[in-house]
């Protein structure tokens, strides 16, 4: 069912990721020009992520007709596998942003409804700057998910990927100018107009803009979900490095300055937790050689710095699913920091997450939560 007007007008808002989920959605990788060795390694890690999440909440994995049987064979039986066409498997960006209506939760009236926003998508930058030239199947992913779940759909013509926004569930949204103000997304919209659309569709009151995302995150033009996220209202995790010679250092300090001066929609000063990046990590000759570079996807070259970040984790119902990159120093530190930031959650590290980064994203990028119908606000304290 297509909805008229904006979600906020109907009382909907995007809940924080730590609020209860009814399930998690994922795609299944197969593009040989983006996933090395015919996605063999990536599929193994996607299956590990899906399996880890399924211990905390239901998971649905969508696979193409050609890959359905393969996906089904690699995933445990408690994970639903459905057939769906797609150009690639980044469901954070091509799936719907699912919103809830809490207005009747406090009144004891009819149970709140859940709906989805179907944003426009242009392969992270269009024909000239995007990651692949044909994204026609990706444009249908959000609509198919909402149809499968029989959820109302709010279509939007504005180009926006889910990885470019983070919300705290209490009226504040984090994003980056590098992505949302990029001329390859919505050149006809001003910063003020984009803010108004975010407020009208996400139900937020305040946008905190960071100038840039993670160094090397050129595929997405600096998505916020590699750089910074909320761990609870008033608290953010920030990708960090202590190495002043690393190009990431300037970006992290820049973000720290802005976040230190910012207040959220409720007037709180932000507490900032530094989450050190791994590496730096680079694509190897062997990894690059495993790609079909004759495809239509953006070339991935040996020696390219990987946009690896521990901020790109997924919050499940009681679990934190976080990447591990084989970095003996920083992998364990990330688990320690996240365990402190989420003391009531089980932190689960996914080994070989590098395989996802090689394709241009990480665990948060390949997952999309479906919020549960709320009975009351989720509490972290």
């Amino acid at each position: 069912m297509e909805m008229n007007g904006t979600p906020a007008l109907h009382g909907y808002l995007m809940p924080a990721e730590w609020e209860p989920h009814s399930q998690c959605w994922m795609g299944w990788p197969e593009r040989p020009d983006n996933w090395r060795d015919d996605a063999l390694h990536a599929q193994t890690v996607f299956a590990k992520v899906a399996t880890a999440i399924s211990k905390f909440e239901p998971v649905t994995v969508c696979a193409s007709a050609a890959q359905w049987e393969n996906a089904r064979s690699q995933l445990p039986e408690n994970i639903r596998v459905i057939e769906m066409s797609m150009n690639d498997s980044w469901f954070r960006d091509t799936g719907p942003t699912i919103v809830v209506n809490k207005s009747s939760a406090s009144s004891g009236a009819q149970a709140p409804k859940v709906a989805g926003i179907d944003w426009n998508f242009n392969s992270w930058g269009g024909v000239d700057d995007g990651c692949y030239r044909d994204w026609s199947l990706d444009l249908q992913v959000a609509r198919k998910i909402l149809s499968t779940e029989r959820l109302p759909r709010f279509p939007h013509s504005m180009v926006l990927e889910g990885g470019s926004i983070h919300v705290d569930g209490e009226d504040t949204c984090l994003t980056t100018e590098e992505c949302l103000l990029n001329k390859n997304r919505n050149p006809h919209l001003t910063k003020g107009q984009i803010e108004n659309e975010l407020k009208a569709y996400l139900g937020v009151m305040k946008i905190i803009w960071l100038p840039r995302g993670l160094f090397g995150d050129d595929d997405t033009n600096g998505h916020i979900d590699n750089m910074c996220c909320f761990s609870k209202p008033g608290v953010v995790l920030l990708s960090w490095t202590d190495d002043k010679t690393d190009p990431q250092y300037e970006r992290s300090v820049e973000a720290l300055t802005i976040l230190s001066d910012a207040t959220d929609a409720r007037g709180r000063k932000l507490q900032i937790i530094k989450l050190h990046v791994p590496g730096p990590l680079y694509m190897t000759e062997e990894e690059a050689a495993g790609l079909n570079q004759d495809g239509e996807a953006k070339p991935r070259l040996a020696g390219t710095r990987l946009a690896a970040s521990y901020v790109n984790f997924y919050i499940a119902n009681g679990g934190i699913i976080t990447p591990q990159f084989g970095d003996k120093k920083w992998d364990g530190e990330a688990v320690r920091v996240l365990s402190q930031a989420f003391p009531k959650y089980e932190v689960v590290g996914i080994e070989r997450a590098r395989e996802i980064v090689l394709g241009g994203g990480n665990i948060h990028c390949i997952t999309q939560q479906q919020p549960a119908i709320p009975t009351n606000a989720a509490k972290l304290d």
Side-chain angles (χ1 to χ4, degrees), residues 180-339:
L180 260 62
L181 303 188
N182 196 303
K183 67 182 187 307
N184 65 19
R185 301 297 205 285
N186 301 288
H188 58 293
L189 297 178
T190 66
K191 182 177 181 179
Q193 289 172 324
I194 290 173
E195 279 208 6
N196 289 338
E197 294 303 312
L198 293 176
K199 291 174 181 177
Y201 276 74
L202 302 179
V204 296
M205 302 290 289
K206 182 168 186 176
I207 317 296
I208 298 175
W209 294 85
L210 297 186
R212 297 181 286 178
L214 196 77
F215 177 77
D217 194 2
D218 301 327
D219 286 348
T220 73
N221 303 116
H223 271 185
I224 193 70
D225 70 353
N226 247 354
M227 183 69 174
C228 184
C229 68
F230 290 103
S231 61
K232 65 179 180 179
V235 183
V236 296
L237 289 156
L238 175 64
S239 288
W240 186 260
T241 179
D242 297 315
D243 182 359
K244 294 183 180 180
T245 67
D246 189 325
Q248 177 58 37
Y249 182 78
E250 179 184 318
R251 291 173 176 242
S252 293
V253 170
E254 177 183 67
L256 179 66
T257 301
I258 289 169
L259 293 167
S260 298
D261 291 338
T263 55
D264 65 15
R266 306 291 174 95
R268 290 175 288 229
K269 294 286 287 183
L270 297 175
Q271 177 189 344
I272 302 150
I273 301 172
K274 295 174 180 176
L275 193 54
H276 205 288
V277 295
L281 308 175
Y282 300 89
M283 179 173 274
T284 66
E285 293 279 357
E286 179 186 358
E287 289 164 343
L291 290 165
N292 174 10
Q293 301 283 13
D294 295 327
E296 63 153 346
K298 178 189 292 186
R300 300 199 179 279
L301 307 176
T304 302
R305 178 160 172 172
L306 303 176
S309 161
Y310 297 105
V311 168
N312 206 297
F313 59 86
Y314 178 77
I315 306 175
N317 292 337
I320 305 295
I321 315 303
T322 189
Q324 300 279 272
F325 301 101
D327 187 315
K328 293 180 181 177
K329 181 175 184 181
W330 297 116
D331 277 3
E333 172 71 1
V335 171
R336 185 189 68 79
V337 171
L338 289 170
S339 297

Side-chain angles (χ1 to χ4, degrees), residues 18-68:
W18 53 78
E19 296 186 47
H21 303 167
S22 63
Q23 66 177 313
C24 173
W25 289 84
M26 294 178 62
W28 186 254
E30 63 174 298
R31 295 185 70 107
D33 55 1
N34 195 61
W35 304 102
R36 70 189 186 106
D37 299 336
D38 292 320
L40 176 71
H41 314 288
Q43 289 172 0
T44 299
V45 180
F46 270 58
K48 286 182 178 179
V49 172
T51 301
I53 295 172
S54 74
K55 291 177 168 58
F56 300 97
E57 64 194 40
V59 177
T60 298
V61 172
C62 302
S64 72
Q67 284 287 325
W68 187 92

